[in-house]
Amino acid sequence: MSVVLASELSAKYAQWGISDTLTDLVRNFGDRIAFSSSFGQEDQVITHEIFANNIPIRVFTLDTGRLFQETYDVFASTSDKYGKRIEVYFPEAKSVEAMVQAKGPNSFYFSVENRKECCNIRKIEPLERALQGASIWITGLRGSQSANRSSMALFEWDERFKLVKYNPLIRWSLEEVVQYLEAYNVPQNALHKKGFVSIGCAPCTIATPDTDDIRAGRWWWEQSHKECGLHS
């Protein structure tokens, strides 16, 4: 697995549809493919492609312990609609306990270092466990979500996790995502209609209905860094 392979896959599947690409990837990589969903709009598009077409790809989510109730609601409605299994990964309890006992429940507000520590414990470490044995990691990233993501390719090598990342929606617009979800009646997080575009943990996400910056509502107290480390 390497940068070269990612480039070859990008070229091969450049004109393929999502479900055809996923099906062909399964033929080549078997059960070494995993899709991580946070139940955002983009992730719900991919979830529908996988579940509605009965493509045998493992779907998982990270439960940080600080999610909105509305996120759990769309989790439940998605499971009900498709009748498919979604694996859940939680942070290590002892790590969360140690952090909260040492710094309190809201330490992430006080420094970037504290916030990154919280993200690492609640998201990065569980993701590392979830991706063990995977060769292809499917994500719902779109290029217009942030400056960091604008240069990402359809397939790319993720040096941190040592695997190929497949970004099927990287060139989609938000409007295309919404139209797709409505056309196929795919469950959506109710917070999207309340001005929440990018939805993460409840203490770290606010509604931003009057800006075109999709990531503005994430870690709003920080001036520039808008990534938790999952897709650095």
Side-chain angles (χ1 to χ4, degrees):
M1 305 296 289
S2 66
V3 175
V4 173
L5 176 59
S7 179
E8 291 174 348
L9 292 174
S10 286
K12 175 179 179 179
Y13 295 113
Q15 304 302 319
W16 288 44
I18 296 175
S19 62
D20 288 339
T21 299
L22 293 173
T23 300
D24 200 57
L25 288 174
V26 170
R27 293 193 190 102
N28 290 284
F29 294 94
D31 60 2
R32 292 177 291 135
I33 307 173
F35 168 50
S36 59
S37 174
S38 61
F39 303 103
Q41 289 169 302
E42 293 82 6
D43 290 338
Q44 290 297 90
V45 170
I46 300 171
T47 295
H48 180 79
E49 288 285 325
I50 293 173
F51 287 164
N53 293 289
N54 292 308
I55 303 173
I57 288 176
R58 181 168 63 93
V59 178
F60 71 86
T61 190
L62 307 178
D63 187 341
T64 64
R66 303 298 297 264
L67 302 178
F68 287 96
Q69 178 58 44
E70 288 86 349
T71 300
Y72 293 111
D73 290 342
V74 74
F75 182 174
S77 59
T78 299
S79 297
D80 291 343
K81 177 179 176 66
Y82 300 103
K84 302 286 188 177
R85 180 186 180 210
I86 299 174
E87 298 179 4
V88 184
Y89 287 81
F90 295 90
E92 294 288 353
K94 290 184 178 180
S95 297
V96 176
E97 289 170 358
M99 176 180 63
V100 174
Q101 287 174 5
K103 299 182 178 181
N106 296 320
S107 61
F108 41 83
Y109 289 134
F110 304 136
S111 71
V112 173
E113 291 72 25
N114 280 356
R115 198 269 294 165
K116 288 183 178 181
E117 177 188 28
C118 188
C119 286
N120 186 69
I121 290 172
R122 295 182 184 275
K123 300 174 80 172
I124 304 301
E125 190 280 329
L127 178 63
E128 290 174 345
R129 283 187 277 119
L131 290 175
Q132 285 182 2
S135 297
I136 303 288
W137 172 22
I138 305 165
T139 83
L141 299 180
R142 289 191 301 102
S144 62
Q145 288 173 328
S146 69
N148 177 59
R149 300 176 183 186
S150 62
S151 61
M152 288 184 173
L154 185 63
F155 288 83
E156 59 179 24
W157 175 251
D158 191 295
E159 182 62 28
R160 177 166 192 163
F161 296 104
K162 305 299 183 183
L163 43 60
V164 170
K165 185 184 295 181
Y166 171 37
N167 310 307
L169 304 183
I170 199 64
R171 298 294 172 246
W172 283 43
S173 67
L174 179 58
E175 290 73 20
E176 288 174 312
V177 169
V178 173
Q179 290 172 4
Y180 180 102
L181 296 175
E182 293 177 349
Y184 291 100
N185 194 30
V186 181
Q188 296 187 54
N189 195 315
L191 292 174
H192 290 307
K193 294 185 177 181
K194 298 179 180 180
F196 290 80
V197 182
S198 179
I199 302 170
C201 291
C204 303
T205 310
I206 60 173
T208 53
D210 299 319
T211 178
D212 291 330
D213 182 356
I214 290 175
R215 303 284 285 180
R218 304 290 293 277
W219 310 293
W220 71 93
W221 63 92
E222 294 180 14
Q223 295 303 309
S224 59
H225 190 87
K226 295 294 182 180
E227 296 286 353
C228 62
L230 297 182
H231 303 291
S232 297

